[in-house]
Amino acid sequence: MADFRSSIVIHKPVEEVFHYVVSMENVHELMPNVVKMEKQTEGQLKAGTIFLETRLISGRNIQAEVEMTEYTENRSFATKTNSNGLITEYQYHFHPVEEGTQVDLEATITTTGLKMRMTKPILVKMIKREDGNQLVYLKEMFEQDKSETETEEE
């Protein structure tokens, strides 16, 4: 069961939205605490692709390995991060709708160890505060681009 969910409609084609989100080098625009995301494996994106994420947390750079656990071109992908017993899984789904693309995000947080399990509600709240607005930032970014394009055309 997801610990938090988000859904938004973006006025762009599925292919454009999917490729922007799945391109992990753009993640800092959607998750401001992520300062760098480096692909560690060779080849095209697919299930099993590994990234090294660097986040700024409390003034310190913290690194974690992020694995792409699912990948279906222009439809969905999922990532999993295990940082000292805090396992964060994000599933993204992309659906064509009349207005453009509906993007759905489900986040599941799992903890291991007694201390982590006891603090899970606090950790979920913290992660939701840090990463829960990804789709809002995505929509703002695409709509800002649209507004700038319309202004340039006038």
Side-chain angles (χ1 to χ4, degrees), residues 47-142:
T49 300
I50 304 291
F51 300 88
L52 183 62
E53 172 190 85
T54 304
R55 277 184 188 252
L56 184 63
I57 300 175
S58 300
R60 296 186 343 206
N61 283 336
I62 307 295
Q63 292 188 322
E65 189 175 273
V66 177
E67 178 183 2
M68 188 165 288
T69 57
E70 297 173 28
Y71 182 90
T72 304
E73 184 79 17
N74 296 324
R75 299 211 36 213
S76 65
F77 74 95
T79 62
K80 181 178 183 178
T81 306
N82 185 344
S83 182
N84 298 318
L86 174 63
I87 301 163
T88 307
E89 296 178 82
Y90 291 137
Q91 291 187 327
Y92 300 85
H93 299 277
F94 301 79
H95 310 281
V97 294
E98 188 175 320
E99 301 90 347
T101 303
Q102 178 175 322
V103 185
D104 300 316
L105 166 65
E106 288 188 12
T108 305
I109 289 80
T110 309
T111 54
T112 60
L114 181 61
K115 184 178 178 183
M116 286 289 224
R117 280 196 302 265
M118 291 176 63
T119 59
K120 182 181 176 185
I122 296 166
L123 294 169
V124 168
K125 187 176 181 179
M126 179 188 77
I127 291 168
K128 185 175 181 181
R129 186 177 59 244
E130 288 181 4
D131 293 353
N133 290 321
Q134 295 176 50
L135 301 186
V136 172
Y137 295 145
L138 180 66
K139 182 175 179 74
E140 287 173 356
M141 194 255 341
F142 273 107

Side-chain angles (χ1 to χ4, degrees), residues 5-27:
R5 300 172 198 268
S6 183
S7 184
I8 207 155
V9 173
I10 298 171
H11 299 276
K12 294 284 186 176
V14 168
E15 297 79 14
E16 187 175 340
V17 177
F18 178 85
H19 286 282
Y20 186 85
V21 177
V22 81
S23 297
M24 293 299 193
E25 59 268 6
N26 297 322
V27 76

